[in-house]
Each structure stands twice: as structure tokens, then as C-alpha cells.
């Protein structure tokens, strides 16, 4: 039997006297779509925060590809292959649309401060590669024409798409979408669902 991509066993977190999540168990396999459904306040976002290192669980364990990630921070979890979006959009609003996506690509195209300061060949090569990859992702979401616009100037639905594009830029093995269609109208929601099926 194959190892689940992500597994939670007895996962829980307590804030003072409040148990926000208690004895949460699930498994997600590779290439599987998995939905977490519940009313407002049920703890869905808290579970996402536990899985991505924003919160540390007070009980239970989390396994990603069979390895424990309970005490890993958000950077280590991203590098391991888990990316996410947020219920409330978290973009770099003053940065351009394409630069928001390129932020996610820096994990796969690292260079030093020296390279950046002196625009070494390594820097130029990495930047050119990131530019092309970022444009490719923007095309998937039909955002390429807004590449040089500030993220804050995009309509709400397009900001949602941009956040997903940025998450995909980290080349995740698992993508967690926290209410990706929140605040979208029916047309925007339908477009987003079709795009998610493609990616």
C-alpha cells in the first residue's frame, strides 16, 4: 500500500481553555482532490494553519510523504512541497503582478546578494528564467496582460487567481486552497473552477 502524500493523526490545537481543533484525522493521496467542509468557525482555516506551520499543534502528528513535519516552520514546509492560499488575500499589493509570482520562484532559482547587487551572469540567467516561468503561469490564469500592473489594482477575482498562481510558482506537490472562491461572483467562480481543473 502506498504512503499517503499527507496524513494527520489525532491533530489538535488548544488556545488557552479553547480546543479549536480536536482529534482531527485524514489522509490525502497523490493526485487526489480533497475537500474540507464545515460551517464558519468550525476550524477549517486553523487546520490549514496547522498543516503549513503557521500554528504548532498541541496534540497529534502530521506526516508529509511519510515524514513528520509537526515542528517544521513555514519555509521548510514550503520547500518540502506544500503551498497554500489564504481565506483573506495576502498579496504584495504594491508589487507588480509578475513580481508577486516571481517571489514564489526564488526557491527554484536561488542567487546570492552579491549576484543581485552586481548583476552577475548567474543573476541574469535566474531572472530571465523566472520571468519566463512567471509569464507562463500568468497565461494559465489569463493574467499576462496585467503583468506590470500593481497587484492592488487587479479586480478582486483576479487577485484571487494571482494568489493561486504565486502558490503554484513554488512547484508544490500539494496545494491547499482556503476558500479560493470567497467573494467571487458566480462567473468568476466558474472560471476559477475550470482553471483549477487544468492545473
Amino acid at each position: 500500500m502506498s504512503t499517503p502524500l499527507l496524513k494527520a493523526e489525532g491533530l489538535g490545537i488548544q488556545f488557552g481553555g479553547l480546543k479549536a481543533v480536536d482529534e482531527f484525522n485524514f489522509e490525502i493521496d497523490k493526485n487526489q482532490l480533497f475537500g474540507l467542509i464545515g460551517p464558519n468557525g468550525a476550524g477549517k482555516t486553523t487546520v490549514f494553519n496547522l498543516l503549513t506551520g503557521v500554528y504548532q499543534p498541541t496534540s497529534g502528528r502530521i506526516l508529509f510523504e511519510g515524514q513528520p513535519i509537526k515542528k517544521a516552520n513555514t519555509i521548510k514546509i514550503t520547500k518540502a512541497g506544500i503551498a497554500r492560499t489564504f481565506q483573506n488575500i495576502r498579496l504584495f499589493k504594491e508589487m507588480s503582478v509578475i513580481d508577486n509570482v516571481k517571489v514564489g520562484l526564488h526557491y527554484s532559482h536561488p542567487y546570492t546578494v552579491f549576484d543581485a547587487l552586481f548583476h552577475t551572469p548567474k543573476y541574469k540567467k535566474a531572472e530571465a528564467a523566472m520571468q519566463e516561468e512567471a509569464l507562463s503561469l500568468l497565461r494559465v490564469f489569463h493574467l499576462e496582460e496585467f503583468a506590470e500592473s500593481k497587484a492592488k489594482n487587479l479586480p478582486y477575482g483576479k487577485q484571487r487567481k494571482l494568489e493561486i498562481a504565486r502558490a503554484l510558482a513554488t512547484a508544490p506537490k500539494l496545494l491547499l486552497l482556503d476558500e479560493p472562491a470567497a467573494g467571487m461572483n458566480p462567473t468568476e467562480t466558474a472560471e476559477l473552477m475550470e482553471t483549477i481543473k487544468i492545473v
Side-chain angles (χ1 to χ4, degrees):
M1 195 163 80
S2 62
T3 302
L5 182 63
L6 183 69
K7 183 176 183 178
E9 296 179 335
L11 196 61
I13 187 168
Q14 191 163 329
F15 300 103
L18 173 68
K19 284 187 177 179
V21 176
D22 188 33
E23 286 296 318
F24 184 74
N25 301 281
F26 75 101
E27 292 183 6
I28 301 175
D29 294 320
K30 290 179 182 178
N31 302 315
Q32 181 182 13
L33 289 174
F34 187 94
L36 189 58
I37 301 170
N40 288 339
K44 301 183 298 296
T45 296
T46 302
V47 168
F48 274 46
N49 288 335
L50 289 169
L51 297 175
T52 55
V54 176
Y55 298 153
Q56 292 298 320
T58 51
S59 61
R61 64 179 189 152
I62 305 165
L63 301 171
F64 185 63
E65 296 186 314
Q67 299 300 313
I69 60 168
K70 181 176 175 180
K71 294 185 179 179
N73 61 32
T74 54
I75 294 173
K76 287 181 180 177
I77 288 172
T78 301
K79 286 183 176 180
I82 300 177
R84 71 169 293 184
T85 63
F86 294 85
Q87 186 174 350
N88 299 312
I89 296 172
R90 295 188 187 177
L91 295 171
F92 299 105
K93 294 185 180 292
E94 294 296 330
M95 288 171 57
S96 69
V97 167
I98 195 164
D99 282 344
N100 265 271
V101 178
K102 285 164 73 174
V103 165
L105 291 167
H106 277 279
Y107 289 111
S108 55
H109 298 281
Y111 50 75
T112 66
V113 174
F114 177 87
D115 293 318
L117 284 174
F118 294 99
H119 287 207
T120 64
K122 181 179 180 180
Y123 166 84
K124 290 176 182 176
K125 183 179 179 181
E127 282 294 316
M130 285 192 290
Q131 182 78 7
E132 187 51 46
E133 288 177 42
L135 277 171
S136 293
L137 277 168
L138 291 178
R139 288 186 197 106
V140 170
F141 290 90
H142 307 292
L143 295 173
E144 66 273 19
E145 66 183 283
F146 305 102
E148 300 304 327
S149 302
K150 284 189 177 182
K152 70 178 183 180
N153 294 333
L154 289 180
Y156 184 85
K158 287 182 169 54
Q159 287 189 30
R160 280 271 172 206
K161 290 181 177 181
L162 177 57
E163 191 178 35
I164 298 172
R166 185 181 61 188
L168 287 172
T170 66
K173 298 171 186 173
L174 177 66
L175 178 61
L176 304 174
L177 303 174
D178 192 354
E179 298 196 29
M184 287 186 171
N185 63 43
T187 302
E188 290 171 333
T189 300
E191 287 176 2
L192 179 63
M193 292 304 104
E194 285 303 313
T195 305
I196 289 171
K197 287 177 186 176
I198 293 170
V199 298

